[in-house]
Amino acid sequence: MRGEQEFIDTLYARVDALRGDTEAGVTDALAQGNTPMQARLERDILVAERSGLLAALNAVDGSLCFGRIDLTSGTSHHIGRIGLRTDDAERTPVLIDWRADVARPFYLATGHTPMGLRRRRHITTDGRTVTALHDEILDLGDQRRTGHEDPTGDAVLLAALDAARTGRMHDIVQTIQAEQDEIIRAPYRGVLVVEGGPGTGKTAVALHRAAYLLYEYRELLAKRAVLIVGPNPAFLGYIGEVLPALGETGVLLATVGELFPGVKATAADTREAAAVKGRADMADVLADAVRDWQALPDPVIAIEHDREVLMLDDGLVKVAREKTRAARLPHNVAREHFEGHILNTLTELYAERVGTDPYDGTSLLDASDLTQIRDEIAENPEVWSAIDQLWPRLTPQRLVADFLADPVGYLPDEDAAAIRRPVTRGWTVADVPLLDEAAELLGVDERLARARADRERETQVAYAQGVLDVSYASRTYEFEDIDDENSEVLSAHDIIDAERFAERHEEDDHRSAAERAAADRTWAFGHIIVDEAQELSPMAWRLLMRRSPTRSMTLVGDPAQTAEAAGVGSWEKILQPYVEDRWEHTRLGVNYRTPAEIMDLAAAVVRADNPDFEPPSSVRSTGVRPWVRGTDDLPGAVAKAVEELTPAEGRLAVIAPRHLHRRLAAQLDGVTAGAEPDLTRTVVLLDPRQSKGLEFDSVLVVEPGLYGTSDLYVALTRATQRLGVLHTGRLPKGMAETKGVADAKGMVDTSAEVITKP
């Protein structure tokens, strides 16, 4: 162990030196503000690169190196979370990035296929101190022994699985298994579906895949960014530290409810409303709503111009509307065409009134006269008031809010009643794909965008002029005794004007690609990873596919866990409209999280509905069976069970229907209902949907009879060690039929697998 500790000490000395150099380099680069444009661009690139390196060094500090491979050739390589080289001219690798090809045997080599390895060593550290070594002998002819041999090669993996949870997901970079490695390193092009039951590590694999893709395709993906979509904010908080610990910070993590800039979904839909809003035909419904905003006069609109009254009737406007629609442009973009048609129509009406010979009916006006008349009509406010009435400019928010306030006529009565509500209560997650669809249908009037940009530009120039004026006034005061005509002291006025000063500030955009992507609805991501993909609605998939025009995606999920009413739940139904059958499918079949004892109970619940169901195979058995108890005092029983199940180290989740949270929270110290759960607390209170993708040392499931099969399956498979179930009513099918006995009081009988109240 001494030799490895010396290496770790040397490694961190290099890291500390590199961190200091990097911090100094960023500071020096930022200080070079007054430089030509090209030099400033090079500076910004340098700052971004060094800032990224600095973030990576800070994130992996204390867990930098985790392995070593010894080759039969006599060469050895240390493997770590990032790669490091010496600072001399040779730039010799000191630490190999886990994503590099040379590191791959660390994950794939076996005694049957050693891949040129003599020995594989796992290095466990606590901070910067080596605490354990585990060696696997891959060349059976090698007689050298170190005293750290691990006969099974599973010690590090089992230790990681048994470790207490912290409320934050940790990377699995030290324990990636062969089937996981194949998925992580798959090419980024095309759509890859990764299916796996609870505990198979599919989320961790997806995150490590993101890190690998950013390493292997750095130049491309660093510009376009990677988007990771999760099911809820608690889940994103849970996984938020994984990628930084792997040296990657340029990734956007978001829920579907956060993918429309300027809107954050804070309200909740009913299950029925979410199902209606998520249907694919809502795209056609919104298109109909847009067309209804393209109105006709009822019956006419009278416009006074130059003492003449021009009448726009529905026939004239209908012709202008159909010509405009024929261009097949988004509503706001098409408005310019509609304006032109209306102006031409009004010009013709006026010309007929004032420019026709009363004797023979010939026109007295030439082309220049007609142009002048058209320009004069275009200055008439009544004309623009009529156009606003007939073809108004719309925002996505206005269109969707108006539709939701009164959806009658667009949907069957039952569906309309389900979604009807004022949006003053806030937007919901299911509203966000509707807003995105509306944005596509409406488009952006570039004339307004240019006008807005010009106004912003004028504001910036005015601000810059003010800064220069202050600078000039300060200089005048400071050098008031100097003859201005002969002075050689230069002011800002002498070297830059307000417009160039404003441009300089515009060019200094230090935001990362992920930050820019978060603010741009039309951003095309280099790769998108979707977790719990089976839960997304068809409308949500329309939103995501717009953000991936190249269809470079990794979809992670388990159709057996589909619980959302709008969830598609079928890979074929999700992908066929977009890529037909051009997608790859792989399945993870080993459950690393859930002990066999707990998995047996969860599988029995699913098999009650689906006898052919096959759960993933659990890699371990703890010998601790789950228990099920009936009670007449639910809050008291929950408080008692929490005391029993709370681990000395680690985390406990109480999973209960949302309507019970306030009653239960009142009995649990430090637990609140209604807020986003803090997963770092020892005890957290969740509903089944909030628990998706999470894991805890112990789990208490409350009132399982009130869950659907998918929700119950999710809830029962969150525990890594112990599971308890409390109920007051009937047990779900499958759980009630599981072998078990109970005495008259429903107390635990340790001889039984499952204990229920008679």
Side-chain angles (χ1 to χ4, degrees):
M1 197 175 297
R2 179 178 176 183
E4 294 295 359
Q5 184 62 62
E6 291 175 351
F7 172 79
I8 295 294
D9 292 341
T10 302
L11 184 65
Y12 277 106
R14 169 73 179 129
V15 168
D16 290 339
L18 183 59
R19 182 183 284 111
D21 292 344
T22 302
E23 289 176 338
V26 170
T27 301
D28 292 345
L30 287 174
Q32 300 171 17
N34 297 321
T35 59
M37 186 182 301
Q38 182 62 32
R40 186 163 62 254
L41 178 61
E42 294 173 357
R43 178 205 72 186
D44 291 348
I45 292 174
L46 177 65
V47 168
E49 290 177 346
R50 292 191 171 184
S51 297
L53 175 60
L54 188 61
L57 291 173
N58 291 335
V60 302
D61 194 4
S63 56
L64 193 54
C65 176
F66 56 80
R68 191 183 84 188
I69 51 176
D70 298 339
L71 281 66
T72 54
S73 63
T75 305
S76 295
H77 299 298
H78 280 86
I79 313 298
R81 284 172 170 79
I82 61 174
L84 290 175
R85 295 176 178 269
T86 59
D87 59 357
D88 54 22
E90 285 75 19
R91 301 285 291 160
T92 304
V94 178
L95 187 66
I96 302 296
D97 193 300
W98 67 276
R99 298 165 287 191
D101 285 342
V102 71
R104 200 167 190 194
F106 182 80
Y107 300 107
L108 299 183
T110 66
H112 293 291
T113 310
M115 301 179 69
L117 297 193
R118 178 172 56 86
R119 178 188 307 269
R120 171 169 47 215
R121 166 168 287 180
H122 291 270
I123 302 171
T124 304
T125 58
D126 181 6
R128 299 187 175 194
T129 302
V130 177
T131 57
L133 302 176
H134 294 87
D135 289 347
E136 296 177 64
I137 306 300
L138 299 174
D139 180 2
L140 300 181
D142 185 356
Q143 299 301 313
R144 179 172 172 267
R145 296 294 180 267
T146 63
H148 302 292
E149 280 72 27
D150 174 9
T152 66
D154 293 331
V156 175
L157 173 62
L158 293 176
L161 299 179
D162 288 332
R165 269 46 191 173
T166 64
R168 293 288 181 264
M169 178 182 277
H170 294 295
D171 64 71
I172 60 168
V173 66
Q174 190 172 358
T175 58
I176 293 172
Q177 303 300 294
E179 66 169 354
Q180 297 171 330
D181 184 81
E182 292 290 340
I183 296 169
I184 289 169
R185 297 174 189 264
Y188 86 96
R189 293 188 182 278
V191 177
L192 174 65
V193 172
V194 182
E195 184 177 327
T200 54
K202 54 187 180 294
T203 297
V205 167
L207 294 172
H208 287 68
R209 175 162 169 74
Y212 170 77
L213 294 177
L214 285 164
Y215 172 85
E216 187 69 13
Y217 306 98
R218 177 77 63 190
E219 185 174 350
L220 172 66
L221 296 183
K223 295 176 183 177
R224 301 309 313 163
V226 173
L227 170 65
I228 297 179
V229 180
N232 54 60
F235 175 84
L236 295 182
Y238 176 66
I239 67 172
E241 296 177 3
V242 174
L243 285 168
L246 298 174
E248 298 297 344
T249 56
V251 176
L252 176 62
L253 277 68
T255 65
V256 169
E258 297 168 327
L259 288 178
F260 192 90
V263 169
K264 188 168 184 179
T266 56
D269 271 317
T270 64
R271 183 176 176 83
E272 294 75 19
V276 173
K277 291 179 181 180
R279 293 194 317 231
D281 61 4
M282 287 300 296
D284 295 329
V285 170
L286 288 177
D288 290 341
V290 171
R291 291 172 67 88
D292 283 348
W293 280 93
Q294 300 162 2
L296 297 175
D298 183 22
V300 296
I301 297 177
I303 298 173
E304 184 177 350
H305 181 73
D306 195 21
R307 296 189 301 276
E308 296 287 341
V309 178
L310 308 177
M311 308 297 285
L312 277 176
D313 61 31
D314 61 349
L316 293 173
V317 174
K318 187 174 183 179
V319 171
R321 186 176 71 172
E322 294 309 312
K323 288 181 178 179
T324 303
R325 287 177 174 176
R328 296 184 177 278
L329 295 172
H331 174 87
N332 288 335
V333 179
R335 176 177 155 125
E336 184 175 2
H337 293 257
F338 183 75
E339 293 169 0
H341 292 309
I342 293 298
L343 290 174
N344 290 340
T345 298
L346 292 172
T347 300
E348 292 172 3
L349 290 175
Y350 185 80
E352 289 177 2
R353 297 276 185 88
V354 302
T356 303
D357 189 310
Y359 297 103
D360 59 12
T362 60
S363 176
L364 302 175
L365 305 174
D366 59 20
S368 62
D369 294 328
L370 294 175
T371 299
Q372 182 178 349
I373 291 172
R374 190 181 191 278
D375 291 342
E376 291 172 353
I377 289 175
E379 295 177 0
N380 187 333
E382 291 187 26
V383 173
W384 294 105
S385 176
I387 291 174
D388 286 339
Q389 177 183 335
L390 299 170
W391 199 288
R393 292 187 179 95
L394 296 172
T395 65
Q397 289 89 333
R398 181 183 178 188
L399 176 68
V400 176
D402 182 83
F403 165 73
L404 292 176
D406 186 14
V408 176
Y410 295 103
L411 295 166
D413 291 346
E414 184 178 354
D415 293 343
I419 69 170
R420 185 173 185 170
R421 69 174 180 86
V423 298
T424 51
R425 292 181 297 168
W427 298 104
T428 71
V429 171
D431 292 336
V432 169
L434 302 185
L435 290 167
D436 198 72
E437 189 72 30
E440 288 292 306
L441 293 168
L442 297 176
V444 177
D445 188 335
E446 292 297 333
R447 296 171 303 162
L448 289 181
R450 287 193 297 270
R452 186 164 49 249
D454 289 343
R455 289 195 299 271
E456 292 175 356
R457 171 76 176 158
E458 291 172 1
T459 301
Q460 292 168 350
V461 170
Y463 174 77
Q465 185 64 57
V467 172
L468 292 175
D469 290 344
V470 171
S471 171
Y472 180 74
S474 299
R475 170 188 174 275
T476 302
Y477 175 79
E478 185 177 355
F479 299 105
E480 60 183 1
D481 294 331
I482 297 177
D483 183 355
D484 284 346
E485 293 185 3
N486 300 318
S487 173
E488 296 183 0
V489 179
L490 295 177
S491 72
H493 275 277
D494 299 316
I495 59 176
I496 192 170
D497 60 19
E499 289 198 11
R500 183 61 187 141
F501 189 53
E503 287 175 6
R504 178 164 295 180
H505 284 275
E506 289 176 3
E507 292 161 0
D508 288 340
D509 185 353
H510 298 295
R511 293 180 302 168
S512 67
E515 291 169 329
R516 293 196 302 275
D520 184 354
R521 190 195 69 83
T522 63
W523 189 275
F525 288 91
H527 194 80
I528 296 179
I529 293 174
V530 185
D531 206 326
E532 302 293 350
Q534 77 282 348
E535 301 286 16
L536 269 60
S537 70
M539 288 300 293
W541 282 112
R542 288 176 66 88
L543 177 154
L544 288 178
M545 290 298 176
R546 292 188 191 105
R547 284 147 177 79
S548 181
T550 62
R551 303 295 188 257
S552 178
M553 309 178 82
T554 302
L555 312 184
V556 179
D558 178 15
Q561 297 183 60
T562 305
E564 295 293 341
V568 177
S570 163
W571 305 124
E572 290 80 6
K573 291 180 180 178
I574 289 170
L575 295 171
Q576 200 280 332
Y578 304 102
V579 296
E580 296 181 342
D581 60 351
R582 300 186 302 277
W583 50 280
E584 299 293 328
H585 179 273
T586 186
R587 182 173 178 83
L588 294 168
V590 178
N591 185 335
Y592 298 97
R593 177 206 303 141
T594 316
E597 293 84 353
I598 295 176
M599 201 64 213
D600 288 345
L601 176 60
V605 169
V606 180
R607 285 198 184 105
D609 284 338
N610 179 10
D612 297 329
F613 173 72
E614 286 297 330
S617 301
S618 295
V619 77
R620 66 197 175 106
S621 174
T622 60
V624 180
R625 294 190 177 279
W627 51 258
V628 180
R629 299 176 190 163
T631 180
D632 293 324
D633 176 17
L634 189 62
V638 167
K640 182 178 179 181
V642 165
E643 290 184 8
E644 176 186 338
L645 289 171
T646 300
E649 296 181 2
R651 301 294 180 270
L652 163 69
V654 178
I655 302 178
R658 181 65 66 94
H659 71 274
L660 296 176
H661 281 201
R662 292 193 181 279
R663 287 176 57 201
L664 300 183
Q667 301 294 318
L668 304 175
D669 292 339
V671 175
T672 57
E676 282 296 332
D678 180 359
L679 299 178
T680 63
R681 298 186 68 88
T682 302
V683 179
V684 295
L685 179 61
L686 308 168
D687 65 34
R689 307 289 173 86
Q690 289 176 309
S691 72
K692 271 187 172 292
L694 308 181
E695 60 182 35
F696 305 89
D697 300 86
S698 301
V699 169
L700 176 65
V701 175
V702 179
E703 294 290 28
L706 300 181
Y707 303 174
T709 300
S710 294
D711 281 340
L712 183 55
Y713 181 52
V714 169
L716 293 174
T717 54
R718 299 304 97 193
T720 65
Q721 302 293 338
R722 303 170 71 196
L723 171 68
V725 179
L726 285 173
H727 68 99
T728 60
R730 295 176 63 87
L731 286 171
K733 205 164 97 176
M735 183 177 289
E737 297 167 0
T738 304
K739 179 183 176 182
V741 296
D743 64 17
K745 296 181 180 178
M747 301 299 290
V748 175
D749 179 343
T750 55
S751 66
E753 292 184 359
V754 178
I755 311 302
T756 65
K757 186 177 179 180

